[in-house]
């Protein structure tokens, strides 16, 4: 069942196109993340669903009803803000009771329901505190509880964990994931943190300059990026330009500055200019004489040790620097320089067609 | 510059505690037992209180409206609020005679409509109307500063939760603006304690305020000791209130 459907939604601010004729369907119970760099239109999209920003053109449907002209407060959604947006003059209890009082729920029932959600977010005894007496993580839990208490079918979250430190962020990510699967709500979640998107989402909507770059499961976005932007935004990528020199039903052979490269079979015609992407973790150093599909030799120019993984920068004999990543082990390559041989198997070469205008 | 301020001030302090160079509290004692001073004191409090409250009641909706404008429109409105600031109080008082006087705009209009006319100057009404007019900008600014500092997401969050504009105002915006209102009140109240020209030009015999009384003692009875004592009392009251204002400003931030 569809909860939200956007049909050709655009939003302009003067000459700035914040959203460019965008179609999007959010299914019931799914966790959809809007991921993209700053200014890509994520907040604008969320505000259009919430009704706080009217679209310049296009229609918005929620639960099958056209709500394009319906004011925010009649849409019955929930929203969690980056800065929590808790009422500073109200206690935690009153904050959470606020949406219930709007709905004229009886005080007796309010007490029961507030206690229930405080339980869900593990803040049982803090009902009497003011927001300023809570830590950032606790405040955001109150904001989430305030949202859950009136059981909206759709919850919008705009970088709810953006103001928290890494540890707390990871902990709350797990809690949000648990709440989502326990309660079966539909969530549209904004973040520009790729790891957060990968951790939480059923589907990721990758946005760039007001358009949807790619929409799919985290797996699809990571392993089958459709654009160079997608490949570079999610995870790390080595990007090379190449020409298709041979295309058969077994493999594709490409020619580029570092030599000949093999890739899985694609639909791209021979002679076409394409971009190829190789993930750093798929490249490894080779033993003398070892062949794995794509091999090249170059010079190790730098090594950086970042805890669990070590990154190596290799300059091929002719071409720009490639990065490769290996799990750190004590007998890793000696830091410094020297001739090395590296390679990756053909299945790890991603071929991306150059689409005009992108 | 501060020297030019401190020397006369010291002189006034000295005068209030001495007669012919001899230390005495006679000035303060005679004031507190003088029916004239007590009456003027209460008049001053009454006018200041009413004028401040009316100024806040007028200034609040103005500030609220301005706070909801785009930046460009807002600066236009601010100029309009500030305009009377740059106008001499004498000019403004004269303008009020033109509007409120017996042959003024309002009464002429009422006469033309064959309706009963009102005396609106040389009485309490004239003083209150003119001093409120003078005080409104001072009420607008602290309230506006507070409203602009409020987190716009609070209203948005309430809206998403289903609250209407009235509930958002009374449950969120207004309670959060308390410190701004209090600051505005103290400011306007202190300013109206020192009103001089307005009661002198637009008030009647019963609308004498403290500053007018000082004028009376220095010019008509040449009782500099009493005049200085009043000045010290005024200064002290204002200082206490302004200190309070500082405290209010200090606790403004909630989060
Ligand atoms: N009220 C506004 N007036 C003018 N331009 C705006 C307004 N709101 C957004 N924009 C523009 O629209 C574009 C998209 O903004 P939006 O806030 O949706 O980006 P975002 O993806 O949420 O970015 P971030 O990650 O920084 O929050 C930006 O270029 C921004 O400058
Ligand atoms: Mg944003």
């Amino acid at each position: 069942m569809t909860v939200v459907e956007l049909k050709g939604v655009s939003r302009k601010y003067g000459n700035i196109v914040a959203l460019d004729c965008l179609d999007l369907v959010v299914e019931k119970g799914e966790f959809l993340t809007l991921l993209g760099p700053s200014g890509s239109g994520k907040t604008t999209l969320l505000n259009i669903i919430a009704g706080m920003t009217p679209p310049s053109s296009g229609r918005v449907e929620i639960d099958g009803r056209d709500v394009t002209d319906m004011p925010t407060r009649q849409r019955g959604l929930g929203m969690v803000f980056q800065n929590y947006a808790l009422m500073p003059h109200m206690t935690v209890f009153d904050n959470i009771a606020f949406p219930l009082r709007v709905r004229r729920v009886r005080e007796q029932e309010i007490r029961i329901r507030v206690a229930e959600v405080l339980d869900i977010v593990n803040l049982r005894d803090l009902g009497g505190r003011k927001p300023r007496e809570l830590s950032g993580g606790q405040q955001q839990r109150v904001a989430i509880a305030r949202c859950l208490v009136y059981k909206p079918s759709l919850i919008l979250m705009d970088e709810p964990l953006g103001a928290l430190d890494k540890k707390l962020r990871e902990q709350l990510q797990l809690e949000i994931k648990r709440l989502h699967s326990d309660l079966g709500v539909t969530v549209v979640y904004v973040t520009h943190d790729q790891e957060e998107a990968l951790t939480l989402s059923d589907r990721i909507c990758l946005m760039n300059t007001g358009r949807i770059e790619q929409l799919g499961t985290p797996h699809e976005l990571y392993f089958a990026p459709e654009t160079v932007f997608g490949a570079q935004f999610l995870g790390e990528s080595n990007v090379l330009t190449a020409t298709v020199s041979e295309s058969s039903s077994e493999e594709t052979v490409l020619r580029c500055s570092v030599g000949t490269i093999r890739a899985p079979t694609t639909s791209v015609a021979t002679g076409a200019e394409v971009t190829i992407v190789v993930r750093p973790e798929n490249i490894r150093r080779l033993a003398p004489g070892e062949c794995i599909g794509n091999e090249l030799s170059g010079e190790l120019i730098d090594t950086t040790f970042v805890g669990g993984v070590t990154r190596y920068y290799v300059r091929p004999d002719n071409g720009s620097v490639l990065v490769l990543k290996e799990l750190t082990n004590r007998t890793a390559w000696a830091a410094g320089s020297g001739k090395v041989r590296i390679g990756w198997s053909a299945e790890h070469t991603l071929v991306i067609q150059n689409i005009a205008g992108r | 510059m501060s020297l030019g301020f401190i020397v006369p001030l010291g002189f006034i302090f000295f005068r209030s505690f001495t007669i012919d160079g001899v230390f005495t509290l006679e000035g303060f004692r005679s004031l507190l037992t003088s029916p004239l001073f007590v009456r003027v004191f209460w008049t001053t409090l009454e006018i200041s209180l009413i004028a401040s409250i009316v100024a806040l009641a007028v200034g609040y909706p103005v500030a609220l409206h301005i706070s909801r404008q785009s930046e460009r429109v807002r600066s236009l409105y601010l100029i309009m609020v500030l305009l009377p600031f740059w106008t001499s109080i004498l000019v403004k008082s004269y303008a009020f005679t033109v509007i409120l006087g017996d042959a003024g705009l309002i009464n002429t209009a009422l006469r033309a409509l064959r309706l009963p006319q009102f005396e609106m100057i040389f009485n309490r009404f004239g003083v209150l109307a003119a001093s409120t007019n003078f005080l409104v900008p001072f009420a607008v600014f602290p309230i506006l500063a507070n409203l602009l500092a409020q987190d716009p997401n609070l209203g948005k969050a309430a809206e998403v939760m289903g609250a209407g504009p009235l509930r958002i105002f009374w449950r969120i915006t207004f309670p959060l603006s308390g410190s701004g209102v209090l600051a505005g009140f103290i400011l306007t109240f202190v300013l109206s304690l020192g009103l001089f020209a307005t009661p002198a030009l637009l008030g009647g015999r019963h609308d004498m305020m403290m500053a007018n009384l000082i004028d009376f003692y220095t010019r008509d009875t040449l009782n500099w000791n009493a005049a200085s004592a009043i000045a010290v009392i005024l200064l002290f009251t204002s200082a206490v209130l302004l200190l309070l204002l500082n405290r209010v400003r200090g606790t403004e931030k909630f989060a």
Side-chain angles (χ1 to χ4, degrees):
Chain A
M1 211 176 90
T2 301
V3 175
V4 183
E5 181 160 9
L6 303 184
K7 296 176 172 169
V9 166
S10 299
R11 173 70 213 194
K12 298 186 180 69
Y13 291 104
N15 313 335
I16 301 171
V17 181
L19 285 181
D20 189 6
C21 193
L22 194 133
D23 297 302
L24 180 66
V25 173
V26 185
E27 297 295 340
K28 187 166 174 54
E30 86 169 322
F31 198 116
L32 179 85
T33 299
L34 305 177
L35 176 67
S38 190
S40 55
K42 308 181 294 292
T43 299
T44 308
L45 180 53
L46 212 62
N47 284 341
I48 283 178
I49 297 175
M52 289 187 288
T53 306
S56 308
S57 63
R59 309 305 294 173
V60 181
E61 284 179 12
I62 295 179
D63 292 329
R65 270 199 308 165
D66 189 317
V67 297
T68 316
D69 303 312
M70 186 189 277
T72 301
R73 68 193 154 89
Q74 290 170 11
R75 296 192 184 192
L77 311 176
M79 191 154 184
V80 178
F81 296 78
Q82 179 172 356
N83 71 349
Y84 324 129
L86 296 175
M87 315 306 169
H89 59 300
M90 295 184 191
T91 60
V92 167
F93 180 92
D94 287 331
N95 264 289
I96 300 175
F98 185 87
L100 298 179
R101 294 195 171 127
V102 171
R103 286 164 178 72
R104 304 190 192 288
V105 176
R106 294 202 342 275
E107 280 298 317
Q108 205 183 347
E109 197 190 330
I110 289 181
R111 270 197 298 278
I112 298 170
R113 282 172 67 177
V114 172
E116 248 171 44
V117 290
L118 277 176
D119 232 28
I120 292 179
V121 297
N122 294 321
L123 292 177
R124 209 149 308 139
D125 303 316
L126 300 184
R129 299 247 194 119
K130 289 282 180 64
R132 65 170 176 278
E133 296 161 349
L134 301 177
S135 71
Q138 289 172 328
Q139 289 187 47
Q140 197 55 294
R141 283 197 207 135
V142 174
I144 292 171
R146 181 176 68 172
C147 203
L148 296 178
V149 78
Y150 59 101
K151 304 188 170 83
S153 60
L154 172 64
I155 297 181
L156 309 173
M157 301 194 182
D158 194 351
E159 307 202 28
L161 310 182
L164 304 175
D165 63 50
K166 193 167 159 55
K167 258 253 162 63
L168 203 52
R169 208 158 61 215
E170 283 167 0
Q171 187 192 336
L172 270 161
Q173 279 170 12
L174 292 181
E175 282 185 41
I176 289 176
K177 203 173 163 71
R178 175 178 63 84
L179 287 176
H180 170 254
S181 57
D182 285 358
L183 305 176
V185 289
T186 312
V187 179
V188 178
Y189 188 100
V190 167
T191 182
H192 57 241
D193 178 343
Q194 44 153 316
E195 273 182 39
E196 193 166 296
L198 293 171
T199 308
L200 290 172
S201 319
D202 294 324
R203 285 196 302 160
I204 296 175
C205 174
L206 182 63
M207 299 187 58
N208 185 25
T209 61
R211 284 179 292 109
I212 296 180
E213 194 79 20
Q214 188 172 355
L215 181 63
T217 62
H219 207 269
E220 284 166 357
L221 261 84
Y222 193 82
F223 290 105
E226 286 166 4
T227 62
V228 177
F229 174 85
Q232 285 180 319
F233 198 83
L234 246 88
E236 283 179 275
S237 297
N238 292 294
V239 177
L240 303 162
T241 52
T243 315
V244 180
S245 65
E246 218 184 295
S247 186
S248 73
S249 58
E250 278 111 52
E251 62 170 10
T252 310
V253 180
L254 307 112
R255 193 166 304 285
C256 75
S257 62
V258 293
T260 302
I261 287 178
R262 285 162 210 288
T265 169
T266 62
S267 59
V268 189
T270 307
E273 293 270 338
V274 295
T275 306
I276 57 184
V277 168
V278 189
R279 299 285 192 193
E281 64 268 30
N282 291 332
I283 310 180
R284 60 186 176 88
R285 60 196 159 135
L286 301 177
E290 187 182 358
C291 287
I292 58 167
N294 294 301
E295 304 90 25
L296 41 100
S297 60
E299 193 179 351
L300 178 64
I301 55 170
D302 203 0
T303 305
T304 54
F305 166 65
V306 274
V309 294
T310 305
R311 238 193 287 271
Y312 302 98
Y313 297 84
V314 174
R315 190 195 303 284
D317 292 336
N318 39 40
S320 53
V321 177
L322 297 178
V323 185
L324 54 149
K325 248 192 317 204
E326 280 189 0
L327 289 180
T328 304
N329 67 43
R330 281 165 201 280
T331 57
W333 305 358
S337 53
K339 277 275 172 203
V340 289
R341 232 164 60 85
I342 58 172
W344 67 91
S345 63
E347 57 173 337
H348 287 136
T349 312
L350 290 166
V351 178
I352 294 176
Q353 296 190 50
N354 292 343
I355 299 166
R358 286 210 181 172
Chain B
M1 207 203 86
S2 61
L3 205 68
F5 181 68
I6 285 169
V7 170
L9 197 66
F11 182 70
I12 287 171
F13 261 97
F14 178 73
R15 275 299 192 126
S16 71
F17 290 104
T18 56
I19 294 176
D20 299 331
V22 183
F23 175 81
T24 170
L25 287 176
E26 178 58 25
F28 290 96
R29 202 194 61 78
S30 68
L31 273 186
L32 294 181
T33 54
S34 145
L36 176 65
F37 174 80
V38 172
R39 209 190 71 207
V40 170
F41 181 79
W42 286 117
T43 309
T44 307
L45 282 192
E46 198 182 312
I47 292 178
S48 303
L49 204 65
I50 296 175
S52 306
I53 290 173
V54 177
L56 288 171
V58 175
Y60 200 104
V62 173
L64 190 66
H65 184 68
I66 296 177
S67 75
R68 293 182 174 171
Q69 306 304 315
S70 69
E71 220 146 302
R72 183 134 34 103
V73 180
R74 192 184 305 150
S75 46
L76 205 76
Y77 274 117
L78 286 183
I79 291 174
M80 276 158 61
V81 172
L82 276 170
L83 219 52
F85 251 4
W86 299 320
T87 316
S88 146
I89 197 147
L90 290 173
V91 174
K92 281 190 284 189
S93 300
Y94 180 70
F96 271 104
T97 11
V98 172
I99 297 169
L100 303 176
D102 284 344
L105 292 177
I106 294 178
N107 277 327
T108 312
L110 289 175
R111 199 171 303 132
L113 295 170
R114 301 190 182 288
L115 290 171
Q117 290 133 52
F118 302 96
E119 278 193 27
M120 289 179 288
I121 53 168
F122 308 128
N123 59 15
R124 184 63 53 89
F125 182 85
V127 179
L128 284 176
S131 25
T132 303
N133 171 268
F134 161 70
L135 293 174
V136 166
F138 296 98
V140 168
F141 281 102
I143 297 174
L144 179 63
N146 174 295
L147 292 177
L148 289 177
Q150 284 187 19
D151 178 1
N153 280 341
L154 296 183
K156 283 190 199 162
E159 217 181 316
V160 175
M161 291 186 279
L166 273 181
R167 182 186 291 265
I168 294 176
F169 178 76
W170 287 113
R171 298 277 166 205
I172 298 164
T173 314
F174 188 69
L176 285 177
S177 66
S179 60
V181 172
L182 188 58
F185 175 75
I186 295 174
L187 198 61
T188 51
F189 189 76
V190 166
L191 283 168
S192 42
L193 285 181
L195 283 175
F196 172 74
T198 311
L201 295 172
L202 293 169
R205 278 187 307 122
H206 299 288
D207 306 309
M208 199 183 217
M209 293 178 69
M210 301 270 262
N212 307 102
L213 192 61
I214 296 178
D215 178 59
F216 170 76
Y217 277 128
T218 48
R219 290 205 306 183
D220 296 353
T221 67
L222 298 180
N223 185 347
W224 281 66
N225 174 246
S228 303
I230 298 174
V232 168
I233 291 172
L234 261 183
L235 186 71
F236 181 73
T237 318
S238 305
V240 169
L241 288 172
L242 289 174
L243 278 178
L244 214 67
L245 180 69
N246 250 344
R247 288 288 290 277
V248 175
R249 293 249 165 94
T251 59
E252 195 125 79
K253 273 272 151 269
F254 268 96

